[in-house]
């Protein structure tokens, strides 16, 4: 079910880790950001938009992780954009014959069979340094950074005061560092938080990739919480982070993620 969070901006939340798909209404149709995740949710989203008389005229993936690359034929064949770095990362991932099995290994088995693999990850690269999404609707500013994933982008829907944060500023997930590609995952994450802090004054509604939609007061609060976690990891401290407690995703899920990040940093020599 779509829920309006601002004028012309609606959110559909998946059962999978509270994943948020964002719909932005334009003149001729909608911009659809990070749709997903279960197959029946994508069908329901397509049906809801059809009933509203709002075809999808553009899509956008905030970053190149599987749960942000999903699509369904019912959503149409509009261009699905991503930053140049994001699109390049996806092209590399899909460039060999074993890509589907490799990606499927990361996905819960009950979801794997629901994925429309023929339209998975078909992202159109925007030119490097593109500042706004090219579409006939409210201006959407691209705030690109390298935290969490290559070419990750938060989106500021300027006329609506809505920040679509991608996989950052969540109230249910800890910061997840990009340990695979970046030379300095800690500093990249802190730099990304500074960029988001720079637009915080223009935000009335925060939509994270996973978790609860927040108001203006939540933007700086979540930036501060994420920064405190990253500082603690950097300084070999113990994070005092409520997200590391028991959650709907299992008592060991986030502590396990935290432990793997510490191990990964140690193996890289970053700690």
């Amino acid at each position: 079910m779509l829920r309006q969070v601002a004028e012309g901006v609606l959110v559909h939340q998946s059962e999978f880790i509270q994943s948020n798909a964002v719909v932005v209404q334009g003149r001729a149709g909608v911009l659809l950001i990070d749709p997903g995740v279960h197959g029946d949710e994508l069908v329901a989203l397509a049906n809801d938009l059809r009933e509203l008389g709002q075809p999808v005229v553009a899509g956008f993936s905030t970053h190149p992780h599987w749960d942000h690359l999903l699509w369904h034929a019912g959503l149409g064949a509009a261009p699905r954009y991503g930053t140049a770095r994001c699109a390049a990362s996806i092209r590399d991932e899909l460039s060999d014959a074993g890509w589907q099995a490799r990606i499927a290994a990361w996905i819960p088995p009950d979801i794997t069979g629901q994925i429309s693999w023929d339209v998975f990850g078909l992202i159109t690269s925007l030119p490097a340094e593109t500042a706004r999404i090219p579409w006939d609707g409210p201006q959407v500013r691209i705030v690109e950074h390298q935290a969490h994933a290559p070419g990750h982008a938060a989106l500021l829907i300027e006329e609506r005061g809505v920040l679509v944060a991608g996989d950052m500023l969540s109230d249910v997930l800890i910061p997840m560092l990009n340990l695979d590609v970046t030379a300095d995952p800690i500093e990249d994450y802190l730099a990304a938080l500074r960029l988001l802090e720079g637009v915080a004054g223009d935000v009335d509604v925060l939509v994270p990739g996973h978790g609860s939609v927040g108001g203006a007061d939540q933007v700086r609060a979540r930036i501060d919480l994420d920064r405190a976690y990253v500082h603690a990891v950097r300084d070999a401290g113990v994070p005092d982070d409520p997200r590391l407690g028991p959650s709907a995703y299992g008592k060991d899920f986030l502590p396990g993620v935290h432990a793997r990040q510490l191990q990964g940093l140690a193996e890289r020599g970053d700690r």
Side-chain angles (χ1 to χ4, degrees), residues 86-101:
C86 171
S89 178
I90 296 165
R91 283 197 303 272
D92 288 345
E93 189 74 23
L94 306 184
S95 62
D96 69 80
W99 68 266
Q100 184 173 325

Side-chain angles (χ1 to χ4, degrees), residues 61-241:
S61 288
T62 57
H63 62 286
H65 288 167
W66 72 265
D67 52 326
H68 298 262
L69 300 175
L70 302 171
W71 202 255
H72 187 277
L75 296 170
R80 296 150 56 190
Y81 297 114
T83 66
R85 289 185 182 93
C86 171
S89 178
I90 296 165
R91 283 197 303 272
D92 288 345
E93 189 74 23
L94 306 184
S95 62
D96 69 80
W99 68 266
Q100 184 173 325
R102 187 173 59 253
I103 292 172
W106 289 90
I107 303 174
D110 63 314
I111 296 178
T112 305
Q114 304 176 33
I115 291 176
S116 299
W117 292 105
D118 57 327
V119 290
F120 178 87
L122 301 182
I123 303 303
T124 297
S125 175
L126 292 173
E129 314 305 326
T130 297
R132 287 174 172 79
I133 293 178
W135 83 300
D136 189 18
Q139 292 202 27
V140 181
R141 190 194 316 174
I142 299 170
V143 183
E144 183 179 353
H145 55 77
Q146 302 312 310
H148 185 67
H152 192 298
L155 301 176
L156 180 62
I157 306 166
E158 296 176 316
E159 299 167 41
R160 306 292 184 255
V162 177
L163 178 65
V164 181
D167 275 7
M168 300 191 56
L169 309 189
S170 171
D171 62 332
V172 298
L173 297 179
I174 57 175
M176 296 184 185
L177 306 175
N178 180 13
L179 299 174
D180 297 327
V181 179
T182 180
D184 191 342
I186 293 288
E187 179 49 39
D188 279 350
Y189 214 100
L190 294 174
L193 291 175
R194 290 192 292 271
L195 285 175
L196 297 179
E197 199 166 38
V199 302
D202 299 322
V203 178
D204 298 315
V205 178
L206 166 64
V207 185
H210 304 274
S212 303
V213 175
D217 60 320
Q218 282 292 300
V219 182
R220 294 188 188 278
R222 295 191 193 181
I223 289 172
D224 291 343
L225 186 62
D226 278 1
R227 182 181 288 123
Y229 174 86
V230 175
H231 281 168
V233 170
R234 178 196 64 188
D235 300 336
V238 178
D240 180 17
D241 194 310

